[in-house]
Amino acid sequence: MGGAFVAAAVLARLGGRIGLPTIPLFILAGILLGPHTPGVVLVSDPHDLEMLSALGLVLLLFYLGLEFHIDDLKAGGRNMALAGGIYLALNVGAGLGFGFALGWGVSEALVLAGVLGFSSSAIVTKILVDTSRLGNPETKPILGIIVVEDVFIALYLAALQPILSGADSLSGALVDGGKAFGFLIALALVARYGTRVVGRLINTPDDEILTISFLGAAVLMAGVSEWFGVADAIGAFMVGLMLGSTTSGKRILKLVHPLRDAFGAIFFFVFGLSINPGDLPGVVWPVLIAVALTLSMNVISGITAARIYRFGAQPAANIATTLLARGEFALILATMAAAAGLDSRLSPFIAGYVLVLAIMAPLAAGRSEWLARVLPGGKPKTTEAGEDDAGASGSSVPERTSV
């Protein structure tokens, strides 16, 4: 574990000197020091750090919930649902079509629909933090799409599980989906109406007790969410959403910051441990085609979401590039597919696809102005003072805005 932290820190320092984002460097550290690469092997089995990795994901999404005020969800629910629905229709539909075009099988195509369809909540959160865009106006539709995705993931998994297991129980799938959806509704109601009570329970002048309290609440709710068939990350996000609206919200935001950074690094390091570079050459072309398809669908989705919210070209580019990454959920699907005995090419394909996008997304998001220039309305307009007005609504916004 110590070696993982040191390796991630060293590569991040080196990359920072040439302007590279930290996410792909943390992943690279895992690949280089994992069991699938010659040389020093720090961790022979990625499952040894599985709990720490899960904690990193929980803290990343908990932090995001703290930053995303409950009033943001209430104010634009219809637009969020519309933007999220369009994003899913385009990306899940493209993934399903791509799966059938490969000809690997019907079950494989259904798995690929999820692999290509859903963004990585952890990487999206890290990109928003690293680029200081948490306060930008386009962050609202980005987070709205993530929330819609997480709701749909619960239903998707409930429907996919009996197919992969060979079961023929539609009623069981409906029960699981209903349980997950009901739990999400319960969390939303508590976040909407129970903030005052939650604030009284969590409030304490002692930082030590406050840290233990919010950490326990986030991790416990993540575990309960998983039991109900909901992604553990969305449970942590909802806890952050509740606590961010309390009188202790600002203190919690400050206290969780170093925990988020440390365990977030471990999450991406463990992600790298699971990738075997030797399996990638045989699926290079399917991976490249899938990456190009995902990039196209994200650009269309970004333009569409920006028009729904009446944003310009720069926010559209920010939406498209920030949501580009695929990650933890795709790896979960790879594990499920391997356990179900599906096509052996599926796991290396998913690993290669996720790796390319995990590296591409932070780089693209950091240079989204390049994409903005070629989008409709993205031609720069120079004012008399010589300032660039293109996409002004998506730049230079404080890290956190008041609601």
Side-chain angles (χ1 to χ4, degrees):
M1 178 179 167
F5 277 121
V6 171
V10 169
L11 280 180
R13 282 174 175 268
L14 293 175
R17 296 190 175 187
I18 55 176
L20 289 178
T22 58
I23 294 173
L25 295 170
F26 293 155
I27 295 172
L28 179 61
I31 294 174
L32 294 177
L33 299 172
H36 307 297
T37 306
V40 177
V41 177
L42 279 181
V43 185
S44 58
D45 185 357
H47 293 292
D48 291 344
L49 297 180
E50 188 174 18
M51 182 58 71
L52 293 174
S53 173
L55 184 58
L57 177 61
V58 165
L59 289 172
L60 281 168
L61 270 293
F62 174 72
Y63 181 86
L64 186 61
L66 289 171
E67 286 280 4
F68 193 47
H69 201 280
I70 187 66
D71 289 343
D72 294 336
L73 280 176
K74 293 188 292 183
R78 181 177 298 179
N79 285 342
M80 286 182 185
L82 180 58
I86 292 173
Y87 186 89
L88 285 173
L90 288 171
N91 285 273
V92 174
L96 185 63
F98 174 75
F100 282 120
L102 284 178
W104 291 355
V106 175
S107 296
E108 286 80 358
L110 293 174
V111 170
L112 287 171
V115 171
L116 271 68
F118 302 115
S119 303
S120 167
S121 300
I123 298 179
V124 167
T125 304
K126 192 69 167 61
I127 289 173
L128 290 173
V129 171
D130 288 350
T131 56
S132 300
R133 291 178 186 163
L134 284 171
N136 281 24
E138 72 273 9
T139 298
K140 184 183 292 186
I142 290 172
L143 300 183
I145 290 171
I146 290 294
V147 170
V148 172
E149 279 186 344
D150 282 328
V151 173
F152 187 78
I153 282 173
L155 303 176
Y156 168 81
L157 282 178
L160 183 66
Q161 185 60 50
I163 296 173
L164 295 184
S165 63
D168 193 25
S169 174
L170 178 61
S171 61
L174 291 175
V175 169
D176 289 343
K179 184 172 71 172
F181 188 71
F183 179 70
L184 285 171
I185 294 296
L187 282 180
L189 289 174
V190 174
R192 174 66 179 87
Y193 299 106
T195 303
R196 185 173 298 178
V197 175
V198 172
R200 290 175 181 173
L201 291 173
I202 201 75
N203 187 39
T204 173
D206 191 304
D207 284 350
E208 179 185 11
I209 296 176
L210 181 61
T211 301
I212 295 171
S213 298
F214 74 70
L215 188 60
V219 176
L220 177 63
M221 192 52 64
V224 172
S225 298
E226 201 171 52
W227 187 81
F228 274 97
V230 178
D232 52 3
I234 193 63
F237 173 82
M238 294 301 290
V239 173
L241 199 65
M242 298 174 201
L243 298 184
S245 301
T246 66
T247 55
S248 303
K250 290 184 178 179
R251 289 173 58 210
I252 294 173
L253 194 69
K254 181 178 179 181
L255 291 169
V256 78
H257 200 280
L259 294 172
R260 179 209 71 189
D261 288 344
F263 290 98
I266 291 296
F267 171 82
F268 295 111
F269 179 85
V270 173
F271 176 37
L273 291 176
S274 65
I275 296 174
N276 185 353
D279 292 337
L280 303 181
V283 290
V284 167
W285 287 112
V287 166
L288 294 178
I289 294 170
V291 167
L293 183 62
T294 301
L295 180 59
S296 301
M297 292 301 104
N298 272 259
V299 170
I300 296 172
S301 301
I303 294 172
T304 304
R307 288 185 176 177
I308 291 172
Y309 283 84
R310 298 181 180 178
F311 292 153
Q314 183 60 57
N318 289 347
I319 295 171
T321 54
T322 302
L323 290 168
L324 184 61
R326 302 297 187 261
E328 61 279 1
F329 183 66
L331 298 179
I332 291 171
L333 289 177
T335 303
M336 292 174 62
L342 299 188
D343 194 298
S344 60
R345 293 169 291 184
L346 204 54
S347 291
F349 165 81
I350 293 174
Y353 170 75
V354 169
L355 177 61
V356 171
L357 287 182
I359 294 172
M360 180 185 292
L363 294 173
R367 296 161 178 80
S368 59
E369 67 276 4
W370 296 357
L371 175 61
R373 291 170 188 164
V374 300
L375 293 182
K379 295 293 184 181
K381 297 178 180 179
T382 305
T383 63
E384 292 181 1
E387 296 177 348
D388 186 4
D389 287 342
S393 59
S395 61
S396 300
V397 182
E399 182 173 343
R400 179 170 174 85
T401 56
S402 59
V403 179

